[in-house]
C-alpha cells in the first residue's frame, strides 16, 4: 500500500527508537496500586476538521493540533483521540476511509503526523487513533476491486448478495443513515450491504483475508508509535450469514423507515473473537482499546471487557449519557452499576455524535454553573474520563437553521426531524477574533455566536470560568490518589437533590458533593459507615459552597470537593 511505502522511506531512526520504547514499556503499571497508564489518564477527543486550522483553508489539520498541545497539557489532558484523519472522500467526514495507512492531504502528511506524535510524546501526551473497523469508503481500492467483477480478488471482502426478486433487496435490514441497508450495483447485478451510508460498504469480517489486513493496519500504526485506538462502530462488525429479516417494531424512525430490532446485524457474538485478537496485538505495545459500545445494560458492557478482561480496556459507558436530566437518583444508579462491572469504567458526557452536554443538562439560565457541575461529576468518578473538545469552555450544540446548510449526511437525509450532527462539530472557540481564532478563512461550519462569551482566551483569564474549573479539578485528579484510584462510596443515598460520594484510598478520602437542584442545599453527611470522621477541608468549590463540620452547604448547582481524614 502507498502509505506503507511512505513509512518505510520516511521513518528512519525516530521510528526505531519509538519501537524499542513501546516494546520495553509493555504493561508497566503507572502507579504503586498497579493501575495501567490508561486508567490514570484523562482522554480528550479531537474532531480534527474543527479544532485548529494551521493553513487557513477553513478546515482544521494536524499541524493545528500540534500547535495546541501546550494548551492541552496545561488543561490536564494525558491522551488525545483524533477522529479519523486518514485519506477519505469525506462523505461521512472521515468515517469513510479510502487508505488506512496514510493521512488525508486536507489534514497534512505522515510527516506532520510523526511530528504531532513526537511533540505529544515530549509532553507526556498519548496519541490514540480512530480505527474504522466495520466498513471502508466505497472508494477504497479493496472495494473498487470488489465491485469490479464477481470474480475479483476482493469480491468476498464485502457482503454481496442477490436481491430477493427483481428490484428487491436481499432482506429488510435498514441503514442507520436511513433507507435500505442494501445498495444495488449494476456492474455485477448484486447488492452490497452498508450499515451506514451507501458510500460506507461493510467489510466481511468472516473472511480471514479481511482480518489479516485489518490486524496489519493495527500493527502498522502501533509500530509508528500510537498508544491505541478508539474502535468505531464495533457492535456492527458481523451479520447473520443467512440474512434473516429483522423483527419489525411499531412506528417509524426519523427517516420514515419502519423501526426494527437489529437482531441479525448488531452485537453478534462473533464480534468478541475479533476484539480478542485486536487486544492481543494491542497488548504487545501496551496500547489501549476504547470501544464505541452502545450497550443496553451492564451485562452487555461486561461482554465488551471480555472474560478475564481480554477484550476492550475502555468500553464507553453510554448508559451514563442516557441520564439526560440532573437526577441524583438516576446517576447513583448508573454509577453503582458501572462500578459493579467487570472492568474499569469509562465516562463520556459528549462526543461528535450526540448533542453536547452543555445543552442536554443546561436549563437555559444556569448553563455555565451546570457545566461545572457535570465536570465535578464525571471527572471525579472512579474510571477514565473522555472529554470532547470545547466541553471545557462550555461550547453549545448549534444545529444549522436551514436544510441547505446541512453538511452531515445524516441531517441531509433526516431533515427536519433529524438535523444531523453538525451542531456538535462546530469550530473550537479559541478567542474573540474573527472565526473565533480557529481559521483566517471561512470555517467549514459556522462558528456559533457564543464564541464572544465562551472562548479559551477569555476563560483563561477568568478564575470563575468553566475552563478554570476544569483545570482545577483535573489538577486535583492528577495529584490525588483517592480521586485516581480510590473506591467509590455513595453517601446520603436518598437525598433527592444532592449527589454525594467519597473516593477512598487507604487513609485518604475525597468528598464530592454536587447540588443538582436550582436551590441552595445544606446536607448533613452520613459518614457513619465510612470510617472517616474529620470535617472536610475544601479543595475545589464553586461560589460559596463550603463545609461546616459534617455538613455541606451548596449553592444552586454548586460543587464541593474536599479532603477527609480518619
Ligand atoms: C460511528 C461514528 C460516527 C459515524 C459512524 C459510521 O458511530 O462515531 O460519527 O458516522 O460510526 O462510521
Amino acid at each position: 500500500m502507498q502509505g506503507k511505502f511512505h513509512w518505510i522511506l520516511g521513518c528512519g531512526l525516530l521510528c526505531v527508537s519509538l519501537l524499542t520504547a513501546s516494546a520495553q514499556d509493555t504493561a508497566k503499571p503507572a502507579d504503586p496500586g498497579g493501575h495501567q497508564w490508561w486508567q490514570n489518564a484523562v482522554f480528550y477527543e479531537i474532531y480534527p476538521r474543527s479544532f485548529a486550522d494551521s493553513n487557513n483553508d477553513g478546515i482544521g489539520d494536524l499541524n493545528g493540533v500540534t500547535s495546541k498541545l501546550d494548551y492541552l497539557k496545561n488543561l490536564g489532558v494525558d491522551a488525545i483521540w483524533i477522529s479519523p484523519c486518514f485519506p477519505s472522500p469525506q462523505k461521512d467526514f472521515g468515517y469513510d476511509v479510502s487508505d488506512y495507512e496514510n493521512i488525508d492531504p486536507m489534514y497534512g502528511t505522515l510527516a506532520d503526523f510523526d511530528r504531532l506524535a513526537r511533540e505529544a510524546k515530549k509532553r507526556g501526551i498519548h496519541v490514540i487513533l480512530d480505527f474504522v473497523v466495520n466498513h471502508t469508503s466505497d472508494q477504497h481500492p479493496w472495494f473498487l476491486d470488489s465491485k469490479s467483477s464477481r470474480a475479483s480478488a476482493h469480491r468476498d471482502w464485502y457482503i454481496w448478495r442477490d436481491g430477493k426478486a427483481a428490484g428487491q433487496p436481499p432482506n429488510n435490514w435498514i441503514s442507520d443513515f436511513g433507507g435500505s441497508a442494501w445498495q444495488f450495483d449494476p456492474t455485477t447485478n448484486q447488492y452490497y450491504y452498508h450499515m451506514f451510508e451507501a458510500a460506507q460498504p461493510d467489510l466481511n469480517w468472516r473472511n480471514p483475508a479481511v482480518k489479516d489486513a485489518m490486524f496489519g493496519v493495527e500493527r502498522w500504526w502501533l509500530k509508528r508509535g500510537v498508544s491505541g485506538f478508539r474502535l468505531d462502530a464495533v457492535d456492527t462488525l458481523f451479520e447473520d450469514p443467512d440474512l434473516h429479516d429483522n423483527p419489525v417494531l411499531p412506528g417509524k424512525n426519523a427517516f420514515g423507515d419502519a423501526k426494527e430490532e437489529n437482531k441479525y446485524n448488531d452485537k453478534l457474538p462473533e464480534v468478541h473473537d475479533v476484539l480478542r485478537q485486536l487486544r492481543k496485538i494491542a497488548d504487545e505495545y501496551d496500547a489501549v482499546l476504547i470501544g464505541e459500545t452502545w450497550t443496553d445494560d451492564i451485562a452487555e458492557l461486561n461482554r465488551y471487557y471480555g472474560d478475564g478482561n481480554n477484550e476492550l480496556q475502555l468500553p464507553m459507558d453510554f448508559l451514563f449519557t442516557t441520564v439526560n436530566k440532573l437526577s441524583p437518583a438516576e446517576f447513583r444508579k448508573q454509577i453503582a452499576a458501572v462500578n459493579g462491572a467487570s472492568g474499569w469504567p469509562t465516562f463520556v458526557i459528549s462526543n461528535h455524535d450526540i448533542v453536547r452536554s452543555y445543552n442536554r443538562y443546561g436549563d437555559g439560565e444556569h448553563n455555565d454553573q451546570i457545566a461545572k457541575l457535570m465536570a465535578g461529576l464525571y471527572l471525579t468518578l472512579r474510571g477514565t474520563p473522555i472529554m470532547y473538545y470545547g466541553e471545557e469552555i462550555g461550547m453549545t450544540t448549534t444545529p444549522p437553521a436551514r436544510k441547505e446548510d446541512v453538511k452531515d449526511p445524516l441531517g441531509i437525509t433526516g431533515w427536519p426531524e433529524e438535523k444531523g450532527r453538525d451542531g456538535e462539530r462546530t469550530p473550537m472557540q479559541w478567542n474573540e477574533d474573527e472565526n473565533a481564532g480557529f481559521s483566517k478563512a471561512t470555517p467549514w461550519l459556522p462558528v456559533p455566536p457564543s464564541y464572544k462569551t465562551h472562548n479559551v482566551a477569555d476563560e483563561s483569564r477568568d478564575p470563575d470560568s468553566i475552563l478554570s474549573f476544569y483545570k482545577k479539578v483535573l489538577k486535583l485528579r492528577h495529584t490525588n490518589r483517592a480521586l485516581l484510584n480510590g473506591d467509590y462510596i455513595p453517601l446520603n443515598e436518598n437525598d433527592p437533590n444532592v449527589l454525594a460520594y467519597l473516593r477512598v484510598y487507604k487513609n485518604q478520602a475525597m468528598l464530592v458533593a454536587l447540588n443538582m437542584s436550582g436551590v441552595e442545599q445544606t446536607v448533613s453527611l452520613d459518614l457513619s459507615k465510612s470510617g472517616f470522621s474529620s470535617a472536610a477541608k475544601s479543595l475545589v468549590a464553586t461560589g460559596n459552597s463550603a463545609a461546616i463540620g459534617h455538613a455541606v452547604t451548596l449553592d444552586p448547582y454548586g460543587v464541593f470537593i474536599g479532603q477527609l481524614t480518619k
Side-chain angles (χ1 to χ4, degrees):
M1 218 174 282
Q2 195 197 2
K4 190 170 271 172
F5 180 64
H6 279 243
W7 177 68
I8 293 168
L9 278 185
C11 169
L13 274 179
L14 164 76
C15 285
V16 174
S17 62
L18 283 178
L19 257 172
T20 334
S22 49
Q24 281 168 355
D25 290 352
T26 299
K28 202 168 59 189
D31 65 45
H35 294 86
Q36 302 297 317
W37 68 266
W38 43 266
Q39 291 179 290
N40 287 347
V42 171
F43 287 68
Y44 184 99
E45 178 189 357
I46 292 179
Y47 198 69
R49 285 183 86 83
S50 300
F51 196 60
D53 178 13
S54 75
N55 62 351
N56 294 310
D57 62 356
I59 294 174
D61 45 52
L62 295 186
N63 287 338
V65 175
T66 307
S67 73
K68 301 298 183 189
L69 287 171
D70 285 333
Y71 164 72
L72 294 168
K73 182 72 196 169
N74 190 253
L75 171 61
V77 168
D78 309 291
I80 49 174
W81 145 32
I82 307 173
S83 294
C85 51
F86 317 105
S88 158
Q90 304 289 329
K91 288 278 169 56
D92 187 18
F93 300 112
Y95 284 97
D96 47 326
V97 178
S98 55
D99 179 357
Y100 284 98
E101 297 176 356
N102 213 332
I103 298 294
D104 193 296
M106 80 168 55
Y107 293 129
T109 61
L110 275 171
D112 295 333
F113 176 81
D114 288 339
R115 193 167 74 85
L116 164 57
R118 222 166 35 234
E119 290 298 319
K121 195 170 180 179
K122 265 192 214 162
R123 292 163 178 80
I125 296 177
H126 295 263
V127 177
I128 308 295
L129 290 179
D130 207 317
F131 195 5
V132 186
V133 279
N134 176 67
H135 47 269
T136 68
S137 157
D138 62 353
Q139 298 306 307
H140 195 293
W142 299 339
F143 188 73
L144 293 177
D145 182 52
S146 183
K147 71 183 274 193
S148 66
S149 108
R150 290 196 187 198
S152 74
H154 291 90
R155 184 63 171 182
D156 196 34
W157 284 45
Y158 295 85
I159 302 172
W160 291 97
R161 291 289 194 285
D162 290 329
K164 240 189 213 162
Q168 273 185 43
N171 68 13
N172 75 347
W173 297 351
I174 53 170
S175 152
D176 259 15
F177 280 35
S180 168
W182 295 95
Q183 177 72 28
F184 182 71
D185 188 56
T187 320
T188 55
N189 281 325
Q190 278 196 314
Y191 288 81
Y192 68 85
Y193 173 68
H194 57 93
M195 175 50 129
F196 299 96
E197 266 279 282
Q200 296 166 295
D202 272 49
L203 282 162
N204 175 15
W205 274 88
R206 296 186 191 276
N207 181 344
V210 167
K211 289 190 184 175
D212 284 352
M214 295 301 266
F215 297 151
V217 171
E218 182 186 13
R219 263 183 206 289
W220 194 84
W221 284 108
L222 289 170
K223 283 184 185 159
R224 217 178 174 94
V226 308
S227 298
F229 302 91
R230 175 261 190 186
L231 300 177
D232 183 62
V234 281
D235 295 339
T236 61
L237 284 191
F238 283 87
E239 301 74 30
D240 168 29
D242 298 329
L243 303 191
H244 285 99
D245 275 344
N246 276 331
V248 176
L249 302 171
K252 302 228 168 190
N253 66 19
F255 307 101
D257 305 313
K259 285 190 184 162
E260 56 186 47
E261 181 197 338
N262 289 357
K263 184 168 174 188
Y264 293 107
N265 56 348
D266 194 31
K267 297 180 186 159
L268 266 56
E270 292 90 326
V271 166
H272 300 281
D273 301 332
V274 170
L275 294 181
R276 279 191 290 276
Q277 286 170 283
L278 288 166
R279 173 64 183 276
K280 254 196 184 145
I281 297 168
D283 278 348
E284 290 172 31
Y285 297 85
D286 190 18
V288 69
L289 297 181
I290 304 170
E292 189 201 11
T293 38
W294 294 95
T295 57
D296 292 331
D297 52 38
I298 293 295
E300 255 184 22
L301 188 69
N302 280 340
R303 282 201 277 283
Y304 283 107
Y305 290 108
D307 269 349
N309 280 304
N310 59 357
E311 296 187 24
L312 304 176
Q313 292 102 318
L314 298 178
M316 295 183 200
D317 177 24
F318 284 117
L319 291 165
F320 196 76
T321 64
T322 62
V323 183
N324 274 327
K325 51 181 187 278
L326 293 177
S327 158
E330 288 287 306
F331 278 119
R332 257 179 225 124
K333 208 168 87 190
Q334 286 304 335
I335 298 164
V338 78
N339 268 294
S342 55
W344 184 251
T346 309
F347 294 103
V348 276
I349 57 173
S350 291
N351 71 23
H352 64 287
D353 292 328
I354 59 177
V355 171
R356 283 183 178 273
S357 57
Y358 192 84
N359 306 77
R360 298 208 320 280
Y361 297 101
D363 64 353
E365 204 185 318
H366 307 91
N367 285 20
D368 286 7
Q369 185 52 45
I370 293 172
K372 294 179 198 167
L373 178 77
M374 289 307 294
L377 170 62
Y378 91 112
L379 301 177
T380 64
L381 289 173
R382 176 184 159 273
T384 295
I386 306 182
M387 300 169 58
Y388 183 49
Y389 84 94
E391 184 180 275
E392 74 275 23
I393 52 171
M395 276 177 61
T396 59
T397 284
T398 314
R402 308 177 312 168
K403 183 176 182 187
E404 51 270 42
D405 297 331
V406 179
K407 301 276 196 309
D408 180 13
L410 208 63
I412 293 172
T413 327
W415 191 273
E417 204 177 317
E418 166 61 72
K419 293 197 167 74
R421 301 159 294 180
D422 294 347
E424 45 268 18
R425 299 171 175 183
T426 57
M428 177 69 176
Q429 298 167 191
W430 294 104
N431 53 43
E432 277 190 58
D433 296 349
E434 199 186 0
N435 304 323
F438 162 73
S439 173
K440 293 206 164 48
T442 305
W444 76 285
L445 283 177
V447 172
S450 72
Y451 83 99
K452 288 276 180 203
T453 51
H454 292 74
N455 63 66
V456 171
D458 291 349
E459 291 192 41
S460 298
R461 286 187 288 266
D462 173 3
D464 285 330
S465 66
I466 301 173
L467 180 60
S468 297
F469 185 76
Y470 263 84
K471 282 189 194 162
K472 274 184 243 167
V473 177
L474 289 176
K475 190 162 176 204
L476 191 60
R477 189 189 157 91
H478 281 104
T479 48
N480 188 285
R481 190 116 330 268
L483 275 188
L484 275 177
N485 306 144
D487 293 338
Y488 164 84
I489 299 182
L491 297 176
N492 296 42
E493 288 194 76
N494 294 320
D495 194 306
N497 300 305
V498 174
L499 177 64
Y501 48 89
L502 296 180
R503 297 289 314 285
V504 176
Y505 184 79
K506 296 186 179 162
N507 286 332
Q508 271 188 57
M510 291 297 278
L511 163 70
V512 181
L514 305 158
N515 181 1
M516 297 205 156
S517 81
V519 180
E520 185 186 288
Q521 302 285 338
T522 299
V523 285
S524 201
L525 296 166
D526 177 10
L527 295 170
S528 53
K529 287 185 225 124
S530 73
F532 289 87
S533 52
S534 72
K537 177 176 155 235
S538 175
L539 293 175
V540 175
T542 55
N544 295 315
S545 303
I548 308 144
H550 288 139
V552 177
T553 297
L554 295 156
D555 287 350
Y557 304 111
V559 179
F560 177 87
I561 306 173
Q563 176 116 29
L564 299 178
T565 42
K566 289 249 179 201

